């Protein structure tokens, strides 16, 4: 019989943490699952750590290619369940995770992908707490639809998705971008519903060696280009592509949005609150105060990335009658 859930766990040189990870999977209250471990050419003692487990639900596969994307697609092809839970070798899942996500997805057939809130361990350092707070409060399908261009709204190892939906969308893609965020954007473009449970169901290990900190695929420029590619085809923006404004006239803001403008789009105005900028022109486009929006109804792209400022801008736009995700979009 097919299991209810496939847990997909790629690993490369995970000897130090994979046993702890696997134990958290085996401790699930929902026990009808298979755990597919795809070993991406580990050069340490990962195989020794895995060899200590004799549970028949564990399947260990070699990665026929190289790299994370190849390992993920290998696991997708081998998955016997239609509900696939992602997991990483250095993380831990709460005992009720599979049960809660399986229960929700079997009762909500239109939801293609379901994440959860996550907690970092050890203690979060540097700017990650701001991102984590944002991600943990981006919960509903409406939240994700409205904020998909801010950042990746899911921790990859927290999600459970429908295998058939992801495979029909083309699986994971190779490229100079974060493979998980690209998949979320692609599913969003296809109109697939994504949401998140409010429970904390994953402990997400944060180390200096984590790919999100070390891989060039996770540099800011890679995110900016990826967002521009999908924003340029988003129907909410396309419907107003000839009549939009960009909030933020600073140098870094202009650098981030340049990838969208290079695709042939030209704003009606730059919006800023800095009196030193207001009244200037950038490439012939005026820099105006927010009050300009009272007389000129346009679609707004808010490129100000500071989280506190983003919330202030949203408050101003709401006071002007702008609706999040319909009349304006925040862009990371």
């Amino acid at each position: 019989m097919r299991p209810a859930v496939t847990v997909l766990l790629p690993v490369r040189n995970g000897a130090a943490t994979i046993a702890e990870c696997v134990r958290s999977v085996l401790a699930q209250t929902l026990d009808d699952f298979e755990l597919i471990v795809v070993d991406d050419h580990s050069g340490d003692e990962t195989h020794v750590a895995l060899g200590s487990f004799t549970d028949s639900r564990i399947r260990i596969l070699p990665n026929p290619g190289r790299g994370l994307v190849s390992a993920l697609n290998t696991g997708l092809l081998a998955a016997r369940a239609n509900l696939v839970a992602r997991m990483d070798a250095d993380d831990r899942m709460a005992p009720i995770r599979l049960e809660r996500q399986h229960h929700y997805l079997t009762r909500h057939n239109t939801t293609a992908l379901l994440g959860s809130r996550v907690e970092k361990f050890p203690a979060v350092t540097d700017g990650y707490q701001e991102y984590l707070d944002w991600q943990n409060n981006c919960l509903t399908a409406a939240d994700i639809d409205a904020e998909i261009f801010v950042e990746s709204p899911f921790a990859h190892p927290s999600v459970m998705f429908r295998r058939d939906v992801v495979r029909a969308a083309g699986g994971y893609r190779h490229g100079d971008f974060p493979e998980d965020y690209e998949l979320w954007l692609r599913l969003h473009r296809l109109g697939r519903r994504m949401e998140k449970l409010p429970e904390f169901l994953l402990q997400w290990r944060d180390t200096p060696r984590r790919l999100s900190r070390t891989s060039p695929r996770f540099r800011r420029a890679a995110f900016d280009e990826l967002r521009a590619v999908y924003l340029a085809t988003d129907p909410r923006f396309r419907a107003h592509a000839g009549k939009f404004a960009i909030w933020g006239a600073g140098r870094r803001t202009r650098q981030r949005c340049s990838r969208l403008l290079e695709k042939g789009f030209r704003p009606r105005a730059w919006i800023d609150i800095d009196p030193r900028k207001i009244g200037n022109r950038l490439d012939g486009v005026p820099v105006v105060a927010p009050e300009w929006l009272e007389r000129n109804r346009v679609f707004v792209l808010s490129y100000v990335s500071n989280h506190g400022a983003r919330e202030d801008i949203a408050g101003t736009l709401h006071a002007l009658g702008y609706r999040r995700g319909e009349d304006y979009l925040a862009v990371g």
Side-chain angles (χ1 to χ4, degrees), residues 2 13 51 58 66 70 73-74 78 80 86 96 100 111 128-129 187 204 251 270 282 285 295 297 301 318 323:
R2 289 187 177 185
N13 296 335
I58 301 175
R66 284 197 173 270
S70 175
N73 286 329
T74 295
R80 292 188 295 150
R86 272 285 289 112
I96 61 169
R100 289 289 294 116
T111 300
Y128 257 74
Q129 186 61 54
L187 292 174
W204 201 20
R251 179 180 58 81
W270 300 89
L282 299 172
V285 176
R295 306 180 303 277
R297 188 75 178 188
L301 295 177
H318 291 169
R323 297 160 296 178

Side-chain angles (χ1 to χ4, degrees), residues 225 228-229 231-233 237-238 240-244 246 257-268 270 283 285 301 303:
E225 177 60 27
V229 167
L231 181 56
T233 62
F237 171 65
R238 293 290 299 186
H240 304 89
K243 192 177 180 181
F244 74 98
I246 293 176
C257 71
S258 65
R259 290 168 172 82
L260 178 69
L261 302 186
E262 287 166 1
K263 300 181 187 304
F265 302 104
R266 182 178 174 84
R268 291 283 183 91
W270 300 89
D283 295 325
V285 176
L301 295 177
Y303 269 89

Side-chain angles (χ1 to χ4, degrees), residues 53-308:
F53 296 97
T54 59
D55 195 298
S56 61
R57 294 171 295 182
I58 301 175
R59 299 166 60 195
I60 303 173
L61 306 176
N63 183 9
R66 284 197 173 270
L68 177 58
V69 170
S70 175
L72 288 168
N73 286 329
T74 295
L76 274 183
L77 286 172
R80 292 188 295 150
N82 192 41
L83 293 180
V84 176
R86 272 285 289 112
M87 191 59 181
D88 281 344
D90 51 356
D91 299 328
R92 303 186 298 228
M93 60 172 69
I96 61 169
R97 176 193 167 182
L98 297 186
E99 179 181 352
R100 289 289 294 116
Q101 290 184 312
H102 174 268
H103 180 270
Y104 191 91
L105 287 172
T106 55
R107 286 158 178 77
H108 297 82
N109 294 330
T110 61
T111 300
L113 181 145
L114 181 69
S116 76
R117 281 176 164 158
V118 303
E119 56 182 338
K120 285 273 193 178
F121 75 102
V124 179
T125 57
D126 61 49
Y128 257 74
Q129 186 61 54
E130 204 171 63
Y131 168 61
L132 195 62
D133 290 343
W134 170 82
Q135 188 191 91
N136 279 334
N137 286 292
C138 189
L139 294 174
T140 67
D143 289 338
I144 291 161
D145 182 57
E147 306 208 0
I148 190 74
F149 294 110
V150 174
E151 296 282 358
S152 173
F154 300 101
H156 197 178
S158 79
V159 305
M160 182 181 287
F161 55 73
R162 300 188 191 278
R163 178 203 60 194
D164 291 351
V165 170
V166 171
R167 287 178 62 177
Y172 289 90
R173 289 181 176 171
H174 291 275
D176 187 21
F177 46 71
E179 79 292 329
D180 54 348
Y181 191 25
E182 192 280 333
L183 178 59
W184 317 151
L185 287 166
R186 190 163 12 115
L187 292 174
H188 178 263
R189 184 172 65 183
L190 293 169
R192 300 301 188 179
R193 183 180 178 90
M194 298 179 284
E195 51 191 318
K196 191 180 298 178
L197 292 176
E199 293 99 329
F200 289 84
L201 300 179
L202 180 82
Q203 290 184 306
W204 201 20
R205 193 187 303 266
D206 186 26
T207 70
R209 299 181 303 279
R210 196 171 191 98
L211 281 177
S212 58
R213 292 185 180 274
T214 61
S215 172
R217 294 182 294 109
F218 288 84
R219 70 193 192 285
R220 174 173 281 280
F223 276 88
D224 289 341
E225 177 60 27
L226 185 63
R227 280 188 280 254
V229 167
Y230 280 93
L231 181 56
T233 62
D234 189 284
R236 295 169 295 183
F237 171 65
R238 293 290 299 186
H240 304 89
K243 192 177 180 181
F244 74 98
I246 293 176
W247 194 309
R251 179 180 58 81
R252 286 188 296 177
T253 299
R254 299 199 309 274
Q255 185 177 26
R256 287 199 303 275
C257 71
S258 65
R259 290 168 172 82
L260 178 69
L261 302 186
E262 287 166 1
K263 300 181 187 304
F265 302 104
R266 182 178 174 84
R268 291 283 183 91
W270 300 89
I271 302 168
D272 209 289
I273 61 172
D274 187 342
R276 295 170 298 178
K277 297 186 179 73
I278 296 168
N280 295 333
R281 299 183 80 85
L282 299 172
D283 295 325
V285 176
V287 180
V288 300
E291 291 75 21
W292 181 86
L293 294 170
E294 296 176 0
R295 306 180 303 277
N296 301 271
R297 188 75 178 188
V298 295
F299 191 84
V300 176
L301 295 177
S302 173
Y303 269 89
V304 178
S305 60
N306 179 278
H307 286 263

Side-chain angles (χ1 to χ4, degrees), residues 8-39:
L8 174 52
L9 171 59
V11 59
R12 179 177 174 82
N13 296 335
T17 59
I18 195 166
E20 183 181 14
C21 170
V22 170
R23 285 194 294 270
S24 78
V25 178
L26 298 180
Q28 293 297 296
T29 54
L30 185 151
D31 60 7
D32 184 14
F33 66 83
E34 64 175 352
L35 170 59
I36 294 180
V37 181
V38 184
D39 188 354

